[in-house]
C-alpha cells in the first residue's frame, strides 16, 4: 500500500478503491458494480479477483494489520543492524512512530474501515486481525520500556494504545487539502506522540 513504489496490480487497485468507497459510504452502501466502475472493469469481473465484498473487506483489514507488524519488525531489525546494534532504543522508537504516521496519513480510509466494519469480518478473520494487532502493540511496548525502564508493563501498554488513538485520529482532522501539509502534520504528530510517551515515563 503506502510503502509500494512500483505500479499497483489490478488486485491492489480494486482493494484501494474498495477501501475508499467503503470508508465513504459504509460497507453495505457500496455495490460490486460501483467498485468495478472505479477501476474500469465490470462488476462481475471483480469475481475473477475476489469471491465478493466480504473477501475484499477481510483482505483489507487483515492485510493492513500484517503490513504494520511486518513493517515494525523490519524497522526494529534495521535499527539493530546499524552500527552493531548501536542505534539505541530512542532511535527505534522514533522509527516506529514514523512508520505508523506514514500509515495514518497515507491509508486514512483503512482506519475508518477498521473502526466501522471490523465486526463484519468472519470470526476467524477478526481473530487474526486482533492477534496481529496484539503482536504489534507488544513490539512497541518492549521498545518503549527500553526507553523508559521505570514504566510498568501495563502502563506502557496503555501509553501505546493511547498514542495509537492519537495517530489514528487522522480521518477526523479534515480533508487532506485542509491540513497544513504532510510534512508539517507528520512532524506535529511525531512530537505529540513523543510527548505522550515522555509523560508516561514521568518526564
Amino acid at each position: 500500500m503506502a510503502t509500494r513504489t512500483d505500479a499497483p496490480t489490478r488486485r491492489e487497485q480494486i482493494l484501494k478503491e474498495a477501501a475508499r468507497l467503503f470508508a465513504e459510504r459504509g460497507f453495505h452502501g457500496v455495490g460490486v458494480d460501483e467498485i468495478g466502475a472505479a477501476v474500469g472493469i465490470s462488476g462481475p469481473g471483480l469475481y475473477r479477483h475476489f469471491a465478493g465484498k466480504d473477501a475484499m473487506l477481510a483482505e483489507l483489514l487483515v492485510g493492513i494489520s500484517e503490513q504494520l507488524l511486518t513493517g515494525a519488525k523490519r524497522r526494529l531489525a534495521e535499527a539493530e543492524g546499524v552500527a552493531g546494534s548501536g542505534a539505541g532504543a530512542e532511535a527505534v522508537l522514533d522509527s516506529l512512530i514514523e512508520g505508523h504516521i506514514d500509515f495514518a496519513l497515507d491509508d486514512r480510509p483503512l482506519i475508518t474501515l477498521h473502526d466501522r466494519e471490523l465486526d463484519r469480518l468472519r470470526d476467524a478473520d477478526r481473530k487474526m486481525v486482533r492477534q496481529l494487532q496484539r503482536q504489534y502493540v507488544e513490539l512497541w511496548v518492549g521498545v518503549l520500556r527500553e526507553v523508559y525502564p521505570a514504566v510498568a508493563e501495563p502502563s506502557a501498554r496503555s501509553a501505546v494504545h493511547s498514542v495509537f488513538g492519537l495517530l489514528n485520529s487522522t480521518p477526523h482532522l479534515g480533508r487532506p487539502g485542509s491540513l497544513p501539509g504532510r510534512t508539517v502534520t507528520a512532524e506535529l504528530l511525531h512530537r505529540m506522540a513523543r510527548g505522550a510517551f515522555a509523560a508516561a515515563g514521568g518526564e
Side-chain angles (χ1 to χ4, degrees):
M1 292 183 178
T3 58
R4 289 183 62 93
T5 57
D6 51 337
T9 65
R10 176 51 61 91
R11 188 180 181 88
E12 288 168 335
Q13 291 173 344
I14 292 170
L15 287 173
K16 180 178 179 180
E17 290 304 315
R20 179 182 66 81
L21 290 168
F22 291 159
E24 288 177 357
R25 299 186 224 164
F27 181 74
H28 287 305
V30 178
V32 172
D33 289 341
E34 293 173 274
I35 299 172
V39 294
I41 62 176
S42 66
L46 289 181
Y47 292 107
R48 291 196 296 269
H49 302 276
F50 297 96
K53 289 198 308 177
D54 289 339
M56 294 180 208
L57 181 63
E59 185 154 336
L60 284 165
L61 295 182
V62 173
I64 192 57
S65 297
E66 289 174 337
Q67 280 188 305
L68 285 170
L69 179 59
T70 299
K73 287 180 176 178
R74 185 187 68 248
R75 287 172 178 270
L76 188 59
E78 289 172 350
E80 290 175 344
V82 172
S85 302
E90 294 269 1
V92 177
L93 183 59
D94 281 330
S95 182
L96 289 177
I97 293 171
E98 288 166 7
H100 199 96
I101 287 174
D102 284 343
F103 157 67
L105 292 177
D106 298 337
D107 290 312
R108 293 166 69 182
L110 288 175
I111 297 174
T112 300
L113 199 58
H114 178 278
D115 290 344
R116 292 180 183 170
E117 312 291 357
L118 180 63
D119 287 343
R120 299 192 189 281
L121 292 182
R122 296 180 308 164
D123 287 346
D125 291 325
R126 187 167 58 253
K127 288 177 181 177
M128 176 61 71
V129 169
R130 294 302 192 194
Q131 179 183 9
L132 292 165
Q133 290 175 340
R134 282 194 295 271
Q135 292 178 52
Y136 185 59
V137 168
E138 293 310 308
L139 188 151
W140 279 66
V141 168
V143 173
L144 181 61
R145 295 191 71 206
E146 286 188 49
V147 178
Y148 302 106
V151 178
E153 186 173 304
S155 296
R157 192 170 294 110
S158 294
V160 169
H161 280 293
S162 296
V163 167
F164 286 172
L166 165 68
L167 300 182
N168 291 347
S169 69
T170 52
H172 308 292
L173 298 181
R175 293 188 171 276
S178 68
L179 299 178
R182 191 189 189 288
T183 300
V184 174
T185 302
E187 291 173 350
L188 174 61
L189 289 172
H190 198 123
R191 289 196 302 273
M192 293 175 72
R194 285 306 304 258
F197 284 143
E203 293 187 0

